[in-house]
Amino acid sequence: MVDTETFVPEAVAEIGDEVGDANAVIALSGGVDSSVAAALAYEAIGDRLTPVYVDTGLMRKGETDQIRETFDYMESLRIVDAKGRFLEALSGVTDPEEKREVIGEQFIREFEREAKDTDADYLVQGTIYPDRIESEGGIKSHHNVGGLPEVVDFDGIVEPVRDLYKDEVRDVARHLGLDEIVAERMPFPGPGLAVRVIGEVTDEKLEVARLACHVVEEELEEYEPWQALAAVIGKATGVKGDNRVHGWVVSVRSVESRDGMTARAQEIDWETLQRIQSRITGGHENVARVVYDVTHKPPATIEYE
């Protein structure tokens, strides 16, 4: 486990040495990784740091409003509406790895644009150790590691929590006194709902995934999962009213884990599962059925793509 008393001053000093007298932008998602990276960077370089939250259109329900409320103390916070650009870039893309690469490149271009406005030479991001291991090992490219384009218009990318596991990042968050809503927040993938939609990303699939993920997180909160999610995995026939429909299949997943490198599917009681399926199928007219994923990691990954 990380020694927070030692890690924090060392990380702050490292950021200060790397950035020097330059300005930097921080890729802020609202998750614990980027929030810890932002807190460390702010302590290191103060007002020369500009936090940037990019609304990709691939976020959870109410995400942008929550970011605005949680981080309103950061006067320099920038919220970028990039939904149109991300969805246009993802149009026609079906391969999971290509999705991650497209998203990684689009993220960098958004931050480059913001960096020019603030004369920033460095990008700070919350890459953690499992991100690097999975990207370097070929399991999947993370948007902030293997998904990055070869040409990046920054003098350097600073990753202060790159050697920490998720539980260690949470320890640092608690040590820094970050709000519980940040420190204990359930992991959410950098590529967002794009990896919870099998095949091409469309507005309707995103609408279904956003609704379903919201329901799942609410209903399974008492189980205290490492991660709980829903994914749109295809289509199947169903019946709604007196009509036969060919609607979306939503898979629900809830896992226990320590660091995300391995995970076990949780046992959820039948009544809860029935309530989840009722809310999801009743919440969208084009959802035909809901299934529960019982696969551990390995052989599965936690996310679907």
Side-chain angles (χ1 to χ4, degrees):
M1 293 299 293
V2 64
D3 180 349
T4 55
E5 294 287 349
T6 301
F7 173 81
V8 170
E10 288 181 350
V12 169
E14 181 181 330
I15 296 167
D17 289 343
E18 190 163 355
V19 176
D21 295 329
N23 295 333
V25 293
I26 168 77
L28 182 64
S29 69
V32 65
D33 303 334
S34 66
S35 296
V36 166
L40 294 170
Y42 187 77
E43 186 171 339
I45 65 174
D47 293 339
R48 289 184 287 115
L49 179 72
T50 299
V52 178
Y53 168 76
V54 177
D55 185 346
T56 63
L58 309 170
M59 313 308 288
R60 284 178 283 197
K61 181 178 179 180
E63 188 90 37
T64 301
D65 290 338
Q66 184 170 329
I67 292 294
R68 186 178 287 108
E69 181 178 341
T70 302
F71 296 95
D72 64 348
Y73 65 92
M74 293 185 174
E75 294 183 4
S76 57
L77 173 65
R78 292 186 171 211
I79 295 180
V80 180
D81 184 354
K83 296 188 287 290
R85 291 189 290 274
F86 272 84
L87 294 183
E88 181 179 357
L90 286 167
S91 178
V93 178
T94 59
D95 179 75
E97 192 67 10
E98 187 179 353
K99 279 186 190 178
R100 290 176 174 272
E101 291 170 358
V102 167
I103 291 169
E105 176 161 4
Q106 191 61 42
F107 262 120
I108 283 292
R109 301 311 170 215
E110 297 295 335
F111 291 123
E112 287 174 345
R113 186 179 295 111
E114 295 303 311
K116 287 181 181 178
D117 285 345
T118 57
D119 295 321
D121 297 318
Y122 288 86
L123 171 66
V124 184
Q125 57 182 20
T127 308
I128 63 174
Y129 190 64
D131 296 343
R132 297 198 292 121
I133 291 298
E134 291 189 332
S135 291
E136 293 165 6
I139 297 173
K140 60 184 178 182
S141 291
H142 287 261
H143 72 292
N144 53 357
V145 189
L148 293 179
E150 292 183 7
V151 179
V152 177
D153 191 18
F154 285 100
D155 289 350
I157 296 179
V158 184
E159 300 172 322
V161 294
R162 64 187 178 278
D163 295 323
L164 302 186
Y165 287 98
K166 180 73 73 173
D167 56 332
E168 294 177 316
V169 179
R170 294 194 193 283
D171 285 342
V172 175
R174 298 181 192 109
H175 177 82
L176 292 171
L178 297 184
D179 290 345
E180 184 175 344
I181 193 172
V182 172
E184 310 302 332
R185 198 168 195 203
M186 189 182 300
F188 185 67
L193 297 177
V195 294
R196 295 180 180 178
V197 165
I198 303 299
E200 184 178 9
V201 178
T202 66
D203 285 332
E204 184 178 359
K205 286 183 183 178
L206 289 173
E207 183 183 334
V208 172
R210 189 171 291 113
L211 160 73
C213 285
H214 177 67
V215 169
V216 168
E217 288 191 14
E218 277 194 344
E219 292 288 350
L220 296 184
E221 183 177 8
E222 64 182 279
Y223 285 85
E224 299 182 346
W226 160 268
Q227 196 162 344
L229 59 103
V232 180
I233 62 174
K235 278 196 164 185
T237 55
V239 178
K240 288 208 166 182
D242 296 326
N243 299 316
R244 179 181 183 273
V245 297
H246 190 226
W248 299 111
V249 179
V250 172
S251 179
V252 173
R253 184 151 172 73
S254 186
V255 300
E256 299 170 325
S257 180
R258 185 185 73 84
D259 54 23
M261 298 299 290
T262 61
R264 291 191 62 81
Q266 286 190 304
E267 293 187 25
I268 307 298
D269 73 85
W270 184 249
E271 181 179 347
T272 300
L273 290 174
Q274 283 297 309
R275 192 165 58 246
I276 288 172
Q277 75 80 19
S278 178
R279 287 184 62 185
I280 294 174
T281 56
H284 198 287
E285 61 181 0
N286 289 332
V287 175
R289 64 183 68 194
V290 175
V291 298
Y292 185 66
D293 187 338
V294 298
T295 319
H296 306 311
K297 177 186 181 180
T301 53
I302 295 177
E303 297 290 345
Y304 275 77
E305 290 196 339

